[in-house]
Amino acid sequence: MIRMKAMRRVFVVSALLALTACGGDDRPRPTYTTQISSDPAYDGDIAQTGPDTFFVTQGMNSSVQSVFAGIDPATSDEYRAFLDFPLGGHDGVPGDAFIESAFLDIFASNLQPNSGSLPLRIELVAFQPPTLFPTDFDLTLQPALAYIQVSSEINGSDVGSNISIDVTPLMIRAQQLGLVDFQVRVLEDLGPPIPVLLEINDTTGSSRSSFAPLLTVTYH
């Protein structure tokens, strides 16, 4: 499911009273919501520029402020984006947390062509240490640990706005596996090639808190 949400990126931790008891304890447990921005040092994308050639871009800097997913209509190169969200630390998600919901927010900076429509797939992956290699593009060499198909295709009406994607099943799986980072591969959904390319904002500038990829997790 895709939901349009207000652009909010300030880190929030809220404690709400759970309505039902958890486990064998008949006392209600508090529910927390945390927001984690992606790590710009490890975000990136991989482009397949030929049958056996790949170009890896990792780490946002003054000249790289976006990641891409889809197929470039001008070159036919296919891009797969990778986003890294650290789960450890005070602002993270405890390893024993029970996940109630998780949403991935991305800001669509551009779509080529604007008249196109892109079916999107989000895959949970694990690349540790968090360094991208050409093999991470490959669905066999870097298999998905879990995946979702975004129900609504990305189109021109999404450009210049925030898109919120329900990734709860992926976050639950990440907890089950004890992953230290929530890492996703964003790609055009499998099927006949569609020449549409999505640009995802990953700025390191002063507006990062408003536009950077964001993971919102509610747990108890």
Side-chain angles (χ1 to χ4, degrees):
M1 178 179 69
I2 295 182
R3 302 185 306 175
M4 303 311 300
K5 299 170 65 180
M7 293 186 298
R8 52 179 175 79
R9 289 294 190 276
V10 178
F11 178 83
V12 176
V13 177
S14 61
L16 304 173
L17 188 64
L19 297 179
T20 58
C22 299
D25 192 343
D26 59 0
R27 295 174 300 175
R29 295 180 60 185
T31 297
Y32 302 94
T33 296
T34 184
Q35 293 184 311
I36 307 169
S37 292
S38 66
D39 190 332
Y42 298 123
D43 291 349
D45 55 48
I46 302 175
Q48 183 174 19
T49 57
D52 299 303
T53 57
F54 300 86
F55 188 83
V56 177
T57 300
Q58 186 174 32
M60 300 300 104
N61 53 55
S62 59
S63 60
V64 179
Q65 297 283 284
S66 301
V67 295
F68 294 88
I71 297 175
D72 188 336
T75 64
S76 297
D77 295 344
E78 182 173 2
Y79 288 77
R80 294 176 178 175
F82 294 79
L83 302 173
D84 180 282
F85 299 88
L87 297 176
H90 180 266
D91 298 337
V93 179
D96 61 350
F98 179 87
I99 305 301
E100 295 191 357
S101 67
F103 286 87
L104 171 65
D105 287 357
I106 56 175
F107 189 90
S109 295
N110 193 19
L111 192 72
Q112 301 176 30
N114 191 261
S115 59
S117 187
L118 179 66
L120 210 59
R121 179 183 178 101
I122 312 293
E123 298 183 339
L124 176 70
V125 292
F127 49 102
Q128 294 292 343
T131 301
L132 291 176
F133 295 95
T135 51
D136 293 323
F137 183 97
D138 191 283
L139 303 185
T140 300
L141 297 177
Q142 177 59 275
L145 303 173
Y147 73 91
I148 61 165
Q149 295 165 303
V150 179
S151 58
S152 298
E153 295 185 354
I154 310 303
N155 56 48
S157 66
D158 295 309
V159 175
S161 62
N162 183 72
I163 303 168
S164 188
I165 303 168
D166 188 345
V167 293
T168 304
L170 306 189
M171 186 63 214
I172 291 174
R173 186 58 178 152
Q175 283 291 95
Q176 292 172 341
L177 295 172
L179 302 182
V180 296
D181 293 294
F182 181 79
Q183 297 169 322
V184 292
R185 177 169 52 200
V186 183
L187 64 151
E188 181 176 302
D189 200 8
L190 305 181
I194 300 174
V196 179
L197 185 65
L198 172 65
E199 180 181 1
I200 300 170
N201 195 308
D202 205 348
T203 179
T204 57
S206 59
S207 59
R208 181 168 179 79
S209 61
S210 297
F211 298 110
L214 182 76
L215 178 67
T216 301
V217 182
T218 299
Y219 65 92
H220 67 259

